[in-house]
Amino acid sequence: VALRIRPLSPQEHINGETECVTQLPGVPQVVIGADRAFTFDYVFSPEVSQEQVYDESIKPLVAQFLQG
């Protein structure tokens, strides 16, 4: 399972909203708020492109599927 943390929208910035999801360095894990941790196969930051998400998490699965 892959997770891409979405960036705040322009309206959220205007409203003074802040990020509530923290990506832990070196592990595919996020913390929501102060105490709720979740682990995934892949975690991508808001700065990562959709193409990079595909290349790192989906493309290898498609290649394996096609190889049988």
Side-chain angles (χ1 to χ4, degrees):
V1 176
L3 171 74
R4 179 174 180 252
I5 302 168
R6 75 166 180 81
L8 292 176
S9 71
Q11 187 62 47
E12 289 169 325
H13 281 290
I14 291 169
N15 292 342
E17 303 291 338
T18 59
E19 297 281 343
C20 66
V21 178
T22 304
Q23 182 178 358
L24 299 178
V27 294
Q29 192 172 56
V30 296
V31 176
I32 299 177
D35 61 351
R36 298 191 70 197
F38 299 91
T39 302
F40 298 88
D41 295 312
Y42 303 92
V43 174
F44 298 96
S45 70
E47 296 79 27
V48 172
S49 70
Q50 194 66 26
E51 182 178 6
Q52 189 174 349
V53 171
Y54 173 80
D55 287 345
E56 292 184 28
S57 62
I58 305 301
K59 192 174 183 178
L61 292 174
V62 172
Q64 288 177 0
F65 175 77
L66 294 174
Q67 290 176 355

